[in-house]
Amino acid sequence: MRPLRLEFCAFCPYENRQVLDFSCLKGQSFFLIHGATGAGKTSVFDAICYALYGEAADESRRPGMLRNREAAPDVPTYVDFIFALREEVWHIRRNPEYTRKAKRGTGTAREMASVILERIKDGEPVERWKNDGEVRRKIYSLIGFECRQFRQVVLLPQGEFRRFLMADTAERKEIMRVLFNTDVYQEMEERLKRKAADLAARYEKIRARQEFFLQDAEMPDIQSLQEAVESCRTETELLRREAGTREELYRKSLQEKEAGRAVSEKFQALEQALRREAKERQQQERDKETKKLWEQAERAAALTDLNAQWERDKANARQKAADLKSLYAKGKQAAADEQKAREIWRGIKDGESGQKQRQEELGHLRSLLGTADSLAESIRAAEQCRREEEASRKQAEALKQTLERGRTEYKACQECIEVLRNKAADAKAVGLRVKTLEQEAETVRRIALLQQEIAGAEEQFRKQKEEAELSRRTWQQADQKLRNMRELAGQAQAALLAGKLAEGDPCPVCGSPHHPRLAQMVGRCLTEEDLEKNQKKTDQYHQHWEELQEKAAAAERAWQEKCAARDALAGSAQEWRPQIDIQNELNVYRRRLQEDQKACAELSEQEARSGRLEKQMEEWENKRSRQQELSRQAAVSAAAAQKSVEEKKSHLPETFWEPDQMRGHIARLEAEIREWEKRSDQAEKRFREAVTCYGNLKGSWSSCLQECRQLSRRAFDSRELFMQRCREAGFLDRNDYERAIAGQWADSSYRASVCRQLEEHAANFQAVQVEIRKARMETEGKVQPDLPALEQAEQHAMAEWKTVHERWAASQERWKKLQKSRKNWQELEEQGGRAAARYAQLADLADLASGKSGSRVSFQTYVLHSLLEDVMEAANQRLLVMSRGQYQLQSGERLNGNKQGGLDMEVFDNYSGYSRPMATLSGGESFLASLSLALGLSDVVQSYAGGTRLDTMFIDEGFGTLDSETLDVALKALFSLQRSGRLIGIISHVEELRSRIPARLEVKKSRSGGSRAEFVIGTTES
C-alpha cells in the first residue's frame, strides 16, 4: 500500500482543507514529518488510519473526537485518500458523525457518518462500495491487516517499544499478548479444561443414572437384575397359560347363561301375548256401538250436499224479496226528486234578462281598462320624479355639510403632523443610547454569571484533584503489595527448587553440587494466577488514577478558561456601575424610545390620513356640483309627469281612476256571470238525471218481481228432494238426520280416524292370536330355566379369570420394566466407556496445554516465547548494523540454559563478551534497540499476516536522544530500507534532521489555533 494523495478538512488540529500530494516527493522514498510539539504530525497518520478503518491511530480517540472544534458549522469534516496497491489504484472517502449547519434555516443538523470505496481505472471508478461493513471487509482483503495490526506495522511509536524493552516478564507477556492477539491460545487452554471437566461431569452423571436404574429395579447389582429378568419371564409364561384356561371356562359358562336367558324370554313372550289378547277382546266389544254411530254418520254425510242446496235456494228467495221491497221504496223517492228538479230548472230560466245586462257592462269596463292602467303608470312616474327631486336636494345639502367637516378635520390633522414631527426627530438619539445601555447591562450580567460558574468550576477542580490524589495513594499501595507478592513468589520458587535438590546434584541456578543453605518456604506458595490477578487489579487502579488525573486537568482547564473569559469581559468594560443603576436608566430610555417610536408610527398614519382627506374633499366638491344639476333636471321631469296625469283623469269616471278598483269590479261581474251559468247547467243536469233514474227504477222493479217468483219455486223443489232422500237413508225426519251428524261426526277427518281405529283394533286382535300360536309352538316340550343360578356360575368363572389375568399382566409389566432397566444400564455402560476414553485424551491435552505435564509450559507462553525469538532475530539484523556490531538482543533462557524460562530479554555486548540487563543501556542505545525491535516486530507481523507487504511506514520520535554519529548510523540503517521499495516517514521535531533529510512534510501551527501542512523538497542548508 503506497499513498498517492491525502486530503482532509476540519480534522484534528487542521481547521481548514489540507491536500498532501505524495507525488511531490519526486521519487524520494524517505521523508521527514517535521513540526513543533502539538502541531499535528501524528494526525497525518490518524487521517490515513481513519480513512481505511474508521478509527484513529490511538485507540483512545473515538471518531466523534476527530472533528476540529474551531471549525465553522458550514465547514465539512472528511478524509479523502487515494492509494496504490500493486497495479491498482483505490480511492476512499470517509466522514465521522458531527454537527453541521442546517441546509435550510439557521439551525444545525446532524451529519451522519458515511464512507465510499472505489476502484479507479483510467481515472474513472469501475467498482464502488458504500456499506461500512463491506468497506472494512474489502480493506482487510486488500491490505491483509486489521486496524490493530495496521497500527503496529505502519506506525512505530518509540515510547511504546522502549516500555516493551524495559518491562519485566509479566508486563512483556501482556504487551505481546495484545500485539499478537494470542488470546486464542489462552482460550484454547480454557476450552480444553472446560471440555475435560464436562466429560468428567458427564461420566459421573452416567454412573449416577446407572445406579438410579438399579435402585428403580430394587436390585443391588447388574447380576441380580439379570437373574430377576429370567425369573420374571418364567413366571409370566406360567400365568399366561393359566389365564387362557380360566378364560375358556368363563366363555363356556357365559354361553350357558345366554341360552337359558333365550328360553326364559320365550316363556315371558307367551304370557305377555295372552294378556294382550284379553285386552283386545274387551276393545272389540266397545267398538260395536262406535261402529253403529259411524255408519249413521256416513249415511247422513251423503245427504249434506242436498241439505246445503236447499238452504242456499231458501236464502236466495228471501234475499230477492228484500230487493224487490227496496226497489219499490227507491221508485217513490225518485218520482218526488224528478218533480222538485223540474221546478228549480224553470226558476233559473226566468233570470236570463239580468244575465244579459251584466255581460254588456262587463264589455264596456274592459274597453276602459287600458286607459286606467296608463293613468296609474303616469301617477307613479310623477311620484318617482318628485321623490328623485327631493332626494337630489337632500344629497346636495349633505355633501355640502360633509365638505365643511372635511376641511375642519384636514386643518386639525396638519396641526397634529407638525407636533409629531418634532417628537420623531429625537427617536434616533434615544435608540442609540438604549443599545449602549443594553450592551453594558449584558456585559455586567455575563460577568456575574461567569463569576458563579468560576466558583463551581473551582469547586469541581478541587474535588477532582482530591479524588485523583486518593486514587494515586490506592494505586501505590496496590503496586507495593504486588512487588511484595513477586518477592514472595521468587522465594517460593527457590524453596520449591531447594525441596527437590539433593547433595551432589547440580543447582539449576548456579550449577554448584554443594548446597550449604537451602531456601525455606515462608507462608503459602503464590501461583502465577495470584500474581496475574493482582497485576490486573493494580493496572485497574493505575488506569483509574490516570482517568481521574485527566478529569482533574480538564476541570482545571475549564476553570482557567472561565477566569480568562471573565477577565476579557472585565477589560472590555470602560467603567463599572451597579447593575441596578444601569437598569433604571435603561428603563427610562426605553420608555422614551417607545413614546418616540409610537410618535413616528402615528406621524406616518397622520400624513397618510392628510393625503386621503385632500383627495376626499376634491371628490366631495365634484359630487356636490353633479348633484345640483341632477336636482334641477328632476324638477322639470316632475312637472311634465303631473300634467300627463291630469289629462288622463278627464277620460275616466272618478270611481275607476284606480285600475285595481276597475279590475275588482270586472272580476265580480265575471264571477256573477259564471255562477249563473254554472247554476243553470247544474239544475238542467239534475232534472235530466232525475227523469232517467225514475225510468230505470221502474224497469228494475218489474225484473226483480219475476226473479223472486222463480226462486220461491226452486226452494220448494229442493226441500221436497231432501226429505225424500232422508226417508230413503232411514231417517224419520230432518231432526233425526241432524242428530246423526251432530258434533264431531260432521267432520270427515274425524269419521276417517274412527274408521282407521276400528280397522287397527281388528288387526291387533288378529296379530295377538298369531303371536300366541307361535309362542306355544316355541315353548312346547321345554322347561323354564333357573336364570339366577346360571348368572352366579358365570360371575364366579369371570372373577377367577380376572384374578389370574391381573396377576399375569402385573408379572408381564414387571418383566418389561426389568428388561428396560437392564437395556438402559447396558446403553449407559457403553456411553460411560466412550466418555472415559475421551476424557483420558482431553485431560492429557488440557494438562499439557496448561503446563501441568510435559515441559511444564503453557501453550500461550510457548507461542509468545517463539514469537519473541522471531522478533529478536529480525531486530538483531538491524541492531548489529546500527551499534557497529556491538549489541544484539537475546532471551534470558539463553543465559541460564533453562528452557522453561519466561520472556526475559537481555542485551549481549560482543565487545565485552557478557550479557547485561536492558536497564543498563544509555538513552541513545535504548533508542537504537527500540527502533530495531520496532522494525523487527513490523517484519514479523507482516509475515504472520500471510506475507502481505506494506510499502509505507511511519516512525514516531526518539531521534532527539542520539548523538550526531549515532544518528548517522541510524539514518543509514533506515535509508537501507528504501532498497526494499518502502516509503519511510519519520515523525520528529528535531531540527538537525531537517538538514539531513531532503524531503519533508512541514507541519506548522498558526496563531489562530489551526494547523497546516505542505511538502518541501531540499534540506535547510541548501
Side-chain angles (χ1 to χ4, degrees), residues 728-742:
E728 291 176 357
F731 298 112
L732 298 177
D733 52 17
R734 187 176 185 182
N735 293 332
D736 192 12
Y737 159 77
E738 290 178 350
R739 283 193 299 272
I741 202 169

Side-chain angles (χ1 to χ4, degrees), residues 426-437:
D426 191 39
K428 186 174 182 180
V430 174
L432 293 175
R433 181 57 181 166
V434 167
K435 288 184 180 179
T436 302
L437 291 172

Side-chain angles (χ1 to χ4, degrees), residues 752-804:
S753 65
V754 170
C755 180
R756 287 194 299 272
Q757 288 179 1
L758 293 175
E759 292 175 354
E760 184 179 349
H761 293 164
N764 290 340
F765 182 70
Q766 293 294 331
V768 167
Q769 288 182 338
V770 171
E771 187 177 350
I772 289 172
R773 288 195 296 272
K774 181 180 179 181
R776 284 176 176 170
M777 291 173 62
E778 290 177 349
T779 58
E780 185 176 2
K782 295 182 179 179
V783 180
Q784 190 168 3
D786 187 2
L787 283 179
L790 291 175
E791 289 179 354
Q792 185 176 3
E794 184 265 337
Q795 291 176 359
H796 178 70
M798 182 178 67
E800 290 183 347
W801 172 59
K802 283 186 176 180
T803 301
V804 176

Side-chain angles (χ1 to χ4, degrees), residues 53 86 139-150 152-153 179-180 867 937-950:
Y53 296 98
R86 291 178 286 275
I139 289 295
Y140 178 75
S141 66
L142 291 172
I143 300 178
F145 293 127
E146 294 179 352
C147 183
R148 177 185 54 79
Q149 295 172 319
F150 185 81
Q152 297 167 4
V153 174
L179 287 175
F180 290 97
L867 290 171
L937 178 66
S938 174
D939 293 340
V940 172
V941 172
Q942 288 191 70
S943 65
Y944 276 94
T948 302
R949 177 178 177 82
L950 283 179

Side-chain angles (χ1 to χ4, degrees), residues 276-464:
R276 287 200 303 275
E277 182 189 19
K279 291 181 180 180
E280 292 297 331
R281 286 185 183 279
Q282 295 175 1
Q283 184 65 39
Q284 289 295 318
E285 292 298 328
R286 291 193 297 270
D287 287 347
K288 289 180 180 180
E289 183 64 24
T290 304
K291 186 176 183 181
K292 181 179 178 182
L293 294 175
W294 174 75
E295 291 174 349
Q296 290 179 355
E298 286 293 321
R299 291 196 302 275
L303 301 174
T304 302
D305 293 339
L306 291 175
N307 182 42
Q309 183 63 40
W310 176 30
E311 291 293 335
R312 285 194 298 274
D313 292 343
K314 186 167 57 174
N316 291 336
R318 285 196 294 268
Q319 180 63 36
K320 189 57 70 175
D323 293 343
L324 182 64
K325 185 176 179 181
S326 176
L327 285 173
Y328 178 76
K330 289 180 179 179
K332 288 180 67 176
Q333 182 64 34
D337 291 342
E338 188 265 344
Q339 183 63 32
K340 183 178 178 181
R342 186 188 298 276
E343 293 175 356
I344 293 172
W345 182 56
R346 288 177 179 175
I348 291 174
K349 284 292 185 179
D350 294 340
E352 288 184 357
S353 59
Q355 179 71 0
K356 291 180 179 179
Q357 293 177 359
R358 286 191 292 272
Q359 289 177 347
E360 292 174 356
E361 183 182 2
L362 178 62
H364 178 67
L365 289 177
R366 284 176 175 172
S367 64
L368 296 176
L369 184 60
T371 303
D373 289 338
S374 177
L375 175 63
E377 183 65 27
S378 298
I379 292 172
R380 286 195 296 273
E383 182 65 23
Q384 178 67 24
C385 290
R386 187 187 64 79
R387 286 197 298 270
E388 289 178 355
E389 179 190 7
E390 182 66 21
S392 297
R393 185 182 61 78
K394 290 181 178 180
Q395 288 180 1
E397 185 65 26
L399 286 172
K400 181 179 179 181
Q401 295 176 1
T402 301
L403 185 59
E404 291 297 329
R405 288 195 300 270
R407 289 170 178 169
T408 303
E409 187 177 356
Y410 177 74
K411 182 178 180 181
C413 183
Q414 289 296 323
E415 293 176 354
C416 183
I417 288 172
E418 187 64 26
V419 174
L420 292 175
R421 282 175 178 170
N422 295 331
K423 289 185 177 181
D426 191 39
K428 186 174 182 180
V430 174
L432 293 175
R433 181 57 181 166
V434 167
K435 288 184 180 179
T436 302
L437 291 172
E438 287 177 346
Q439 292 175 356
E440 185 177 357
E442 178 64 19
T443 301
V444 173
R445 185 187 65 80
R446 290 177 60 188
I447 290 173
L449 290 177
L450 282 173
Q451 196 66 33
Q452 296 176 0
E453 293 177 359
I454 287 169
E458 185 178 8
E459 179 64 20
Q460 181 69 19
F461 166 59
R462 185 185 59 79
K463 290 182 179 179
Q464 293 289 350

Side-chain angles (χ1 to χ4, degrees), residues 56 71 80 275 324 351 369 476 502 525 531 533 555 582 639 674 722 767 792 811 938:
D80 194 284
R275 287 194 295 270
L324 182 64
L369 184 60
Q476 289 178 347
C525 180
L531 294 176
K533 182 177 179 181
I582 299 173
R674 285 194 300 273
F722 173 72
Q792 185 176 3
S811 179
S938 174

